[in-house]
Amino acid sequence: MDDAGATISEADEQALLDSIDRWLTRKVAPVAAKFEQADEYPTELVQDMCEMGLFGALIEPQYGGLGLPATAYSRIVARISEEWMSLTGFFNSHLMMALIVQKFGTQAQKDHWLPRFATGELRGGLALTEPDAGTDLQGIRTTARRDGDVYRITGSKLWITNAIEGDILAVLVKTDPDAQPRHRGMSMLIVPTRDMETGAEAQGVVRGRKLAKLGYRGIDTGAIAFDDAPVDARLGLVGGEEGKGFLMATGGLEIGRVNVAARGVGIARRALKEAVAYAQVRTTMGKPIAQHQAIQLKLGEMAAKTRAAELLVEDAAKAYDRGGRVDLEAGMAKWFATETAFEVATESMRIHGANGYSKDYPIERLYRDAPLLIIGEGTNEMQRIIIARQLIARNPV
């Protein structure tokens, strides 16, 4: 069994969402602005998410995970993103790594890694992007050569979540740099970045700097390099076969795009909520600005687009849970929901006027977080191409 087809009762899902709501209200809301503005890693909040099982949200129960369907997972992501989007990045990138093992790994790899991923004992992410390779994954230069029972990795990765504070990464490498087409020479390796016993830096791993970003702050997005770093071949080469890494990477991006779309829903919801509230208390010309037609036009469009984004994300999550390829559904959700997040955050800032530009109001953070969603997990320009290609492929004449 893989993650497709996972189920949870409506009552259990609501209980989980209620517990997350209480945590967000009690522990996240009072400190989110402080951590975000300081760009500080929220150690205690990350530990809380481990204890709530979020690092095992999509991992099968037989390995200690919650085994949630994508529909429930997307609702969790949207709700957390309403309060502080950065928190969703810690467990999403980790789960993309875990799902690669769960879907494609050998039984020995699943037994070894997944229980430790599910508890958050080992936290990590998916290392695809390089300084000269983003959307074009086939352009990566990181290589891994077989040396007896180990692979030795050389190269560097950039824009990697959990690269600084994490313990392990799923790293896309070239095991045959001369292969044609290029994707046939790519493999996926599970690479500990810390010694599993001592916690010290793993041999050959050079942890780089944490990147300073416009938004999405607090999370440790960074650079990491490998200098002839040894990786156990039996436990490291996902699936035990070279040349399958590109398929694994693109498969992992599907849930990533559902996640990013759900983040967009969260940003849009919160920006709309803040705008509706502010418009009722801010007065001009002797009445609340919510009574001015110009503001009503904005709010009406913001509400309709936010709801449409919610429905597209739900559609994509359901398609993911049914199994099979979801390029079309995930692409549409990712494109529309993230563009909506940016538009609604922008309009909300305009409704707030000068106050929207102040760090005293949450809209300023939402406005800075939203652009990442348009770029991350495949640019929105690429999403439209994917949508068109899948539309044609599914409707041949």
Side-chain angles (χ1 to χ4, degrees):
M1 184 184 83
D2 61 20
D3 54 293
T7 59
I8 182 174
S9 73
E10 187 175 332
D12 286 344
E13 180 182 335
Q14 190 57 53
L16 179 57
L17 288 170
D18 288 345
S19 69
I20 290 171
D21 271 334
R22 290 191 294 271
W23 173 70
L24 289 169
T25 300
R26 186 174 65 253
K27 298 197 68 174
V28 178
V31 300
K34 177 178 77 72
F35 278 110
E36 198 277 341
Q37 291 176 22
D39 198 11
E40 181 181 345
Y41 187 86
T43 302
E44 184 177 345
L45 298 181
V46 172
Q47 187 57 43
D48 287 345
M49 291 189 290
C50 289
E51 293 172 3
M52 287 189 288
L54 294 182
F55 282 84
L58 299 172
I59 297 175
E60 296 170 9
Q62 70 191 79
Y63 299 110
L66 297 181
L68 299 180
T71 48
Y73 178 65
S74 64
R75 293 183 188 111
I76 290 170
V77 170
R79 179 64 191 92
I80 295 176
S81 295
E82 286 187 56
E83 199 61 63
W84 187 21
M85 187 186 79
S86 292
L87 293 177
T88 66
F90 293 108
F91 60 83
N92 179 66
S93 187
H94 172 89
L95 286 167
M96 291 167 73
M97 170 188 68
L99 287 181
I100 285 174
V101 175
Q102 184 163 286
K103 287 184 174 183
F104 303 106
T106 65
Q107 191 58 53
Q109 290 167 347
K110 293 178 183 181
D111 292 339
H112 183 81
W113 296 119
L114 291 178
R116 302 173 80 180
F117 291 170
T119 62
E121 174 193 348
L122 295 179
R123 297 194 300 271
L126 184 57
L128 308 180
T129 307
E130 298 185 4
D132 296 314
T135 299
D136 179 19
L137 291 179
Q138 296 186 65
I140 66 166
R141 298 179 181 178
T142 299
T143 60
R145 59 181 177 84
R146 187 71 182 252
D147 181 14
D149 294 333
V150 302
Y151 281 92
R152 296 193 175 275
I153 305 176
T154 298
S156 60
K157 297 289 181 178
L158 189 62
W159 289 105
I160 308 305
T161 301
N162 293 330
I164 309 302
E165 302 289 340
D167 314 289
I168 194 164
L169 293 169
V171 182
L172 186 64
V173 300
K174 285 192 172 178
T175 43
D176 183 0
D178 299 321
Q180 292 295 329
R182 293 179 296 169
H183 67 81
R184 291 184 178 173
M186 303 171 75
S187 303
M188 189 70 72
L189 294 175
I190 301 298
V191 183
T193 58
R194 298 188 194 280
D195 185 283
M196 295 292 99
E197 301 299 327
T198 66
E201 297 288 7
Q203 181 184 344
V205 171
V206 182
R207 215 174 294 267
R209 63 187 176 90
K210 177 180 177 180
L211 299 175
K213 307 184 296 295
L214 170 71
Y216 198 46
R217 292 159 62 85
I219 192 166
D220 57 326
T221 311
I224 193 163
F226 306 96
D227 182 10
D228 210 32
V231 178
D232 180 272
R234 185 179 72 89
L235 293 174
L237 179 63
V238 180
E241 185 178 356
E242 294 184 359
K244 305 294 184 182
F246 184 76
L247 173 65
M248 296 175 189
T250 54
L253 286 173
E254 288 182 342
I255 193 62
R257 285 169 183 161
V258 173
N259 169 281
V260 168
R263 293 186 203 180
V265 166
I267 292 287
R269 277 184 191 159
R270 180 64 182 275
L272 175 62
K273 185 183 302 182
E274 294 293 329
V276 169
Y278 187 80
Q280 294 177 77
V281 297
R282 174 73 166 106
T283 61
T284 63
M285 304 175 191
K287 60 183 178 181
I289 63 173
Q291 294 181 22
H292 294 300
Q293 189 177 63
I295 300 300
Q296 292 171 351
L297 291 171
K298 289 180 183 292
L299 293 175
E301 184 173 348
M302 292 159 68
K305 287 186 174 181
T306 298
R307 180 56 179 154
E310 290 174 344
L311 293 173
L312 276 172
V313 172
E314 183 178 341
D315 182 58
K318 287 179 177 177
Y320 184 90
D321 288 333
R322 289 194 296 268
R325 292 187 63 169
V326 294
D327 308 52
L328 178 66
E329 295 84 356
M332 288 194 296
K334 195 273 182 185
W335 168 70
F336 188 83
T338 60
E339 293 289 347
T340 294
F342 184 71
E343 290 176 22
V344 174
T346 301
E347 289 298 329
S348 185
M349 174 174 277
R350 294 173 74 166
I351 288 170
H352 278 74
N355 284 333
Y357 205 63
S358 167
K359 289 185 181 293
D360 291 337
Y361 288 77
I363 189 59
E364 177 269 346
R365 181 172 80 243
L366 300 173
Y367 180 80
R368 287 186 290 104
D369 280 347
L372 170 70
L373 305 179
I374 292 171
I375 301 165
E377 305 296 351
T379 65
N380 279 2
E381 288 75 17
M382 181 56 68
Q383 298 313 307
R384 284 178 283 178
I385 294 171
I386 291 170
I387 293 165
R389 288 176 177 172
Q390 283 298 304
L391 192 63
I392 293 167
R394 295 186 191 188
N395 298 277
V397 295

